[in-house]
Amino acid sequence: MSNELNPRRLFLKQTALASAGVLLAPVVGWSASSYRRIVGANDRVRVGVVGFSDRHRYTHMPCFLNHHKELNFDVVGVSDIWKRRRDEGAALWKEKLGHDVAAYRNNEEMYDKKAVDAVFISTADFQHALHTIEAVRAGCDAFVEKPFAETMEDNRAALKAVKSSKQIVQIGSQRRSGANYHAADAYIKSGKFGDIKMVELTWNVNQPGRWRRPELVPLLKEADTDWKRFIMNRPPEAFDARKYLEYRLFWPYSSGQPGQWMSHQIDTVHWFTGLQHPRSVVANGGIYMWKDGRKNWDTLTAVFDYGPQNDMSSGFQVTFGSRMDNGDERPTEIYYSNGGELNLNTNTVSPRGGLNKKFADAMKMPPFLLPESSLASTEAVVASANTGGDTLTSGHVRNWMECVRSRKQPNAPVEAGYSHSIATIMTNAASRTGMKATFDEKTQEVMVGGKAFKY
């Protein structure tokens, strides 16, 4: 029998492993008996919450509860600078776990007490990298939401801090724990798909209240929080409850669509191709629909050039389009070669659109379903920020918990966050300046108009 990689056979094998509970990733899943063979496996892992956000309440919490008893993890503290949120968080976790959970006024208070071994970080977008630095310097492992960073200064500092530590950091890019995404990665890397020539990414929603918190804004008083701690290293300005609670609408607290949504999808491009960032980005858009005082666009189209830095004749284009009106909340990810397409919405690979049938036959790319297509109803990407205990995020949280035990690298290590952040920062730079953004490998800076992009 030929030793040539058979993608279909590989997919079937992966599906069997997935069904058996083995994670299709650089890190192999662990069974309960496996944990008993790890030094310290019977010790309880004490987890803290950095920022009791909606994302944590409605997604991290149910995902954690799916696995914490088996893996002996326990939430013991909630840190939030807003009194209302930290009290709510401590009370809700107490209700779920049946024991008291400490409420901390800030991260320093929690870390100084040596109260936790690991943390969930789901604070404002611009804070993720900075809170990751705090966590690893305190000797804690971290599950940190995306985008990892919104400026290259923060991105470089966080990468350095994590790499200088021994901590396990999982970036919240849950596609990296999806069996269908692993199957797609294996198929592309097998060479059967051919060279990628185009990738189309879209993320459209039609939700007037998306990223708005009108019911909470009047309740937030400056005396009940710590505004200086909130803005961290951003330029000083007066307290603004909207920017605190609706930060996704306002730069420099968030880039909006690039950081919130594109970061998920562009990460698969880096993963499948091994490329670390785009060669260039241009973008256009505006605030066409929601005239509510926001500063970040509600409609965006970005075009990326990807390929090796030393061979500009080789490469491919990626487009990302996002609108916050007339959207069906079905993020689209389609990869194209000259022989066909790989569609991660339908979980199919086919010669559709290929040059001709003869060419498709030569490429050995007959139409078939990715094996996980039968799981599409449970592994489908959810456009909502509050996904509940969905399969993708639950598997991603479990992978982090397993890696905290095994000390192996998780599915989405810090390098993945560093790379997606370069792409999102380039997109933000292009949209805000109207110029083409590039990346300086030597300085690790995003460049527009001959200058490094800051704010």
Side-chain angles (χ1 to χ4, degrees):
M1 181 180 294
S2 170
N3 290 325
E4 182 181 5
L5 179 63
N6 184 317
R8 186 173 179 82
R9 187 176 298 120
L10 174 61
F11 295 159
L12 293 173
K13 179 180 180 181
Q14 288 179 319
T15 306
L17 290 172
S19 299
V22 177
L23 197 56
L24 308 178
V27 180
V28 176
W30 295 79
S31 66
S33 61
S34 300
Y35 287 112
R36 289 193 289 270
R37 294 195 294 271
I38 304 171
V39 175
N42 293 323
D43 297 334
R44 181 181 61 143
V45 176
R46 303 168 303 164
V47 177
V49 176
V50 176
F52 190 70
S53 63
D54 289 347
R55 174 68 173 170
H56 181 79
R57 180 199 298 253
Y58 297 114
T59 302
H60 293 167
M61 181 177 279
C63 291
F64 179 87
L65 292 172
N66 285 342
H67 311 293
H68 80 106
K69 289 183 179 179
E70 176 190 352
L71 305 184
N72 197 12
F73 277 62
D74 192 19
V75 169
V76 299
V78 173
S79 167
D80 198 298
I81 58 177
W82 186 16
K83 185 179 186 302
R84 177 189 177 96
R85 282 255 171 94
R86 70 172 171 267
D87 289 347
E88 285 179 350
L92 188 54
W93 272 114
K94 178 180 179 180
E95 176 187 323
K96 297 293 185 181
L97 298 173
H99 62 71
D100 287 341
V101 174
Y104 296 102
R105 294 172 298 172
N106 53 60
N107 299 338
E108 289 90 336
E109 185 175 89
M110 182 170 68
Y111 293 138
D112 287 348
K113 292 181 181 296
K114 308 293 183 184
V116 295
D117 308 302
V119 292
F120 279 106
I121 297 173
S122 59
T123 46
D125 291 355
F126 75 101
Q127 297 173 337
H128 293 163
L130 302 172
H131 285 156
T132 299
I133 294 171
E134 291 179 356
V136 298
R137 286 180 177 171
C140 289
D141 301 320
F143 184 103
V144 54
E145 276 299 335
K146 34 52 55 197
F148 184 56
E150 293 279 27
T151 67
M152 282 309 303
E153 179 183 8
D154 294 346
N155 204 21
R156 291 191 302 270
L159 176 68
K160 181 179 180 181
V162 174
K163 297 298 287 183
S164 299
S165 76
K166 297 180 180 179
Q167 305 313 129
I168 299 299
V169 172
Q170 174 90 297
I171 306 300
S173 300
Q174 61 263 28
R175 282 163 172 76
R176 291 202 177 218
S177 291
N180 57 328
Y181 284 92
H182 280 275
D185 176 54
Y187 186 73
I188 289 172
K189 286 185 169 65
S190 76
K192 299 296 184 183
F193 187 61
D195 294 336
I196 294 170
K197 292 305 174 188
M198 180 70 188
V199 184
E200 292 180 351
L201 309 173
T202 65
W203 196 304
N204 303 319
V205 302
N206 195 359
Q207 302 169 338
R210 191 67 177 252
W211 302 345
R212 295 293 310 276
R213 297 292 184 271
E215 72 288 350
L216 278 180
V217 168
L219 303 179
L220 176 62
K221 307 302 180 185
E222 186 173 6
D224 293 330
T225 189
D226 190 329
W227 175 247
K228 288 185 178 180
R229 282 185 186 272
F230 175 80
I231 63 175
M232 300 188 82
N233 65 355
R234 291 314 189 248
E237 66 171 301
F239 172 76
D240 188 324
R242 283 201 70 191
K243 291 177 180 176
Y244 189 110
L245 290 168
E246 300 178 348
Y247 58 85
R248 295 178 181 91
L249 304 177
F250 301 99
W251 175 252
Y253 305 108
S254 171
S255 60
Q257 290 161 315
Q260 276 292 303
W261 295 333
M262 193 195 80
S263 60
H264 277 302
Q265 296 183 317
I266 209 72
D267 176 61
T268 66
V269 176
H270 301 157
W271 175 20
F272 296 168
T273 66
L275 296 169
Q276 297 178 330
H277 57 77
R279 290 189 295 209
S280 67
V281 184
V282 293
N284 211 332
I287 303 172
Y288 298 128
M289 183 67 203
W290 305 118
K291 313 291 186 177
D292 54 9
R294 70 181 64 201
K295 299 301 180 182
N296 289 335
W297 291 351
D298 62 17
T299 305
L300 167 72
T301 299
V303 182
F304 304 79
D305 172 50
Y306 271 90
Q309 296 292 324
N310 60 357
D311 183 7
M312 299 301 290
S313 67
S314 175
F316 59 96
Q317 187 178 80
V318 177
T319 60
F320 171 77
S322 181
R323 62 180 182 269
M324 300 182 76
D325 66 280
N326 192 263
D328 60 3
E329 302 177 42
R330 284 179 53 82
T332 299
E333 299 160 58
I334 306 176
Y335 285 73
Y336 298 94
S337 71
N338 201 36
E341 72 171 35
L342 188 156
N343 187 319
L344 280 159
N345 280 67
T346 59
N347 284 336
T348 59
V349 180
S350 77
R352 180 180 178 183
L355 188 62
N356 54 48
K357 185 178 185 302
K358 182 178 179 181
F359 184 82
D361 290 343
M363 294 282 290
K364 298 182 180 178
M365 192 167 60
F368 62 91
L369 295 178
L370 294 181
E372 289 75 20
S373 62
S374 61
L375 304 179
S377 61
T378 56
E379 290 214 31
V381 171
V382 182
S384 170
N386 308 320
T387 60
D390 69 286
T391 303
L392 280 177
T393 310
S394 184
H396 204 50
V397 169
R398 181 186 178 91
N399 172 248
W400 172 63
M401 295 164 75
E402 291 175 338
C403 292
V404 168
R405 289 291 189 194
S406 69
R407 311 314 292 173
K408 294 181 180 292
Q409 281 298 298
N411 288 346
V414 66
E415 291 86 355
Y418 187 77
S419 288
H420 84 226
S421 295
I422 295 173
T424 60
I425 294 165
M426 290 175 72
T427 305
N428 194 34
S431 66
R432 296 194 175 279
T433 64
M435 294 183 282
K436 178 185 287 188
T438 59
F439 189 69
D440 188 317
E441 291 283 356
K442 183 177 180 179
T443 63
Q444 295 288 289
E445 290 281 12
V446 170
M447 306 297 293
V448 281
K451 298 179 181 179
F453 175 72
K454 300 296 183 183
Y455 296 117

